[in-house]
Amino acid sequence: KGPAVKILLVVTISLLTSICSYGLPWFATCIPCPIDTTESCPNTDLSGNYKSFQCPPNHYNDLASLFLNTNDDAIRNLLSTSTTKEFHISSLFIFFIAIYCLGVITYGIAIPSGLFIPVILAGAGYGRLIGRLFDPITKLDVGLFALLGAASFLGGTMRMTVSLCVILLELTNDLLLLPLVMLVLLISKTVGDMFNHGVYDQIVKLKGLPYMEAHAEPYMKHLVARDVVSGPLITFSGVEKVGNILHALKTTGHNGFPVIDEPPFADAPELCGLVLRSHLLVLLKGKIFSRDRVLSGDEVVHRISKFDFAKAGSGKGVKLEDLDIKDEEMDMYVDLHPITNTSPYTVVETMSLAKAAVLFRQLGLRHMCVVPKSQGRPPIVGILTRHDFLPEHILGLYPHIRLRK
């Protein structure tokens, strides 16, 4: 919705985070310092276990010790062992709810804020809260509950079992916790998978990014490549009019266009290759035009540097607004052969869509040309892009295909 709205959203969430971090500790009660840690309590200047926060001497504010510490020290406080009474149940509940809600609204805004640390904080607070509630009937340490709570939140959010297990074991340096951590991660991932995909998959879906799974969907084996080709197909001749190219670039958002050679440049219409939008813009900006429909030869190589066709950085490529094509140049011709990829990846129109999807993903393609199986037809049926393999597109064309086995 524009940079102004993004900045306003970031500022609003920053103010809300500051108000929660500084305001909520006012509702916590002061706790006397433990006898064996009197020397380090209270700690008002440096980051540590205890924060006095408006408490009398030799007292500390447990909620401030979580909110006003660095994330590393807050996690260390929550995972600490043999400190059963260090945090009140009410303080743990307030901290868990606040961190959970702030993490939900903060992730995804226009700042580089991750989700890993907030999930560990919320999970550790939740686990320590459960440990305090079950303290009368169990002899397990609350620090163990905090670790298992963090593991459960990470497993249910990220769904990365093996890597998370290694990270948590490196964090604790205790192999005896391996069975418990594995069990918690397995349960949390299984329960999460019953409802939806992981948070990163959900964000990709919400942003509308065309993400393809590593495997083909089962219903794809009932379709062939030509069944999902979307049209109309826009093609260029090997030597095309400038006006036709400019009109196609303005009216479509395609990034790749098939180039077809026709007589007199070929005996019959044949697929010459694929030309990219970015290369067309560079060629039009160079204005290597001719009034007659002839091949330009090596003129493009001599007048335009090959580095101009290289992949530009973010926002640095030639844009359609940068072109200055005059009216008399619209009826002139430009030779597309020098910038055409003459060996594009092609598949026959009768190839299984499942096989085409696996091939498309494993080769990391952006365009896949679909060619006819029989002769006497146009040399290309259509182009498959990443969007054509998405379930939304396929099920939109064939709503009942999912029911077939």
Side-chain angles (χ1 to χ4, degrees):
K1 297 183 179 180
V5 177
K6 292 181 179 180
I7 294 176
L8 180 62
L9 179 61
V10 171
V11 171
T12 303
I13 293 180
S14 300
L15 290 176
L16 179 61
T17 304
S18 301
I19 291 172
C20 291
S21 300
Y22 187 74
L24 290 178
W26 287 91
F27 298 97
T29 58
C30 294
I31 304 175
C33 293
I35 299 176
D36 56 343
T37 58
T38 304
E39 295 181 358
S40 61
C41 178
N43 191 323
T44 57
D45 298 326
L46 302 176
S47 181
N49 284 345
Y50 303 103
K51 294 292 184 182
S52 61
F53 194 78
Q54 311 301 326
C55 289
N58 295 326
H59 286 71
Y60 72 96
N61 188 311
D62 58 345
L63 200 52
S65 300
L66 296 175
F67 274 114
L68 301 182
N69 264 326
T70 62
N71 290 333
D72 296 342
D73 287 319
I75 294 174
R76 189 179 296 111
N77 291 344
L78 291 171
L79 300 183
S80 61
T81 58
S82 304
T83 55
T84 306
K85 306 297 182 181
E86 184 174 350
F87 300 102
H88 277 308
I89 294 180
S90 59
S91 298
L92 291 173
F93 180 77
I94 293 174
F95 178 76
F96 164 65
I97 296 297
I99 290 297
Y100 183 85
C101 295
L102 289 175
V104 168
I105 66 175
T106 301
Y107 183 68
I109 63 175
I111 54 173
S113 62
L115 196 60
F116 201 81
I117 296 300
V119 169
I120 293 181
L121 282 173
Y126 156 76
R128 197 174 182 95
L129 174 62
I130 297 299
R132 286 297 307 272
L133 294 177
F134 282 89
D135 184 55
I137 60 175
T138 181
K139 294 183 179 180
L140 296 177
D141 195 279
V142 292
L144 175 61
F145 277 96
L147 176 66
L148 297 181
S152 67
F153 264 55
L154 287 171
T157 305
M158 314 293 180
R159 316 286 169 86
M160 301 182 298
T161 52
V162 178
S163 57
L164 289 176
C165 188
V166 173
I167 291 172
L168 292 173
L169 288 181
E170 289 288 340
L171 183 66
T172 58
N173 197 24
D174 189 354
L175 284 177
L176 296 177
L177 297 176
L178 178 61
L180 278 177
V181 173
M182 290 176 60
L183 179 63
V184 168
L185 287 173
L186 177 62
I187 294 175
S188 60
K189 183 182 185 302
T190 304
V191 174
D193 288 339
M194 294 173 60
F195 295 94
N196 51 31
H197 295 288
V199 63
Y200 296 131
D201 297 302
Q202 297 290 343
I203 291 297
V204 167
K205 186 176 180 180
L206 287 175
K207 287 183 175 293
L209 301 177
Y211 176 75
M212 289 181 61
E213 297 288 348
H215 59 277
E217 298 292 341
Y219 52 79
M220 288 185 178
K221 63 184 179 181
H222 301 292
L223 300 172
V224 294
R226 67 165 175 260
D227 292 335
V228 297
V229 170
S230 55
L233 180 65
I234 297 178
T235 62
F236 293 140
S237 299
V239 181
E240 185 61 82
K241 264 189 179 182
V242 175
N244 295 340
I245 299 177
L246 202 59
H247 180 264
L249 295 179
K250 288 181 178 180
T251 56
T252 67
H254 303 333
N255 287 308
F257 301 89
V259 177
I260 298 177
D261 271 338
E262 299 173 341
F265 306 109
D267 296 335
E270 61 180 24
L271 178 63
C272 176
L274 194 72
V275 64
L276 299 180
R277 170 183 285 264
S278 58
H279 294 175
L280 286 173
L281 292 173
V282 174
L283 187 62
L284 292 179
K285 188 176 182 180
K287 293 190 175 184
I288 308 178
F289 306 148
S290 61
R291 297 193 176 277
D292 300 321
R293 195 181 180 195
V294 295
L295 299 175
S296 61
D298 297 332
E299 188 177 358
V300 174
V301 180
H302 297 311
R303 293 181 54 180
I304 301 179
S305 172
K306 59 183 179 180
F307 295 105
D308 294 333
F309 294 100
K311 187 176 181 180
S314 178
K316 296 183 179 179
V318 180
K319 298 180 181 179
L320 194 59
E321 296 79 13
D322 299 334
L323 301 181
D324 184 20
I325 307 296
K326 298 179 174 57
D327 293 338
E328 59 269 16
E329 296 173 334
M330 299 292 281
D331 293 329
M332 300 179 71
Y333 293 91
V334 58
D335 184 11
L336 302 181
H337 290 92
I339 63 169
T340 299
N341 176 15
T342 56
S343 56
Y345 286 92
T346 60
V347 295
V348 182
E349 60 180 346
T350 54
M351 174 182 278
S352 168
L353 186 61
K355 188 175 181 180
V358 173
L359 183 67
F360 190 95
R361 191 182 189 281
Q362 290 182 346
L363 294 177
L365 304 180
R366 294 190 64 191
H367 307 93
M368 177 181 284
C369 298
V370 181
V371 297
K373 186 177 181 180
S374 58
Q375 297 181 353
R377 296 169 56 190
I380 183 170
V381 176
I383 290 182
L384 291 177
T385 63
R386 189 176 292 263
H387 291 274
D388 296 318
F389 291 102
L390 295 183
E392 293 80 4
H393 173 69
I394 300 175
L395 296 178
L397 296 174
Y398 307 98
H400 304 294
I401 195 69
R402 188 194 292 269
L403 303 177
R404 299 178 62 182
K405 298 296 184 183

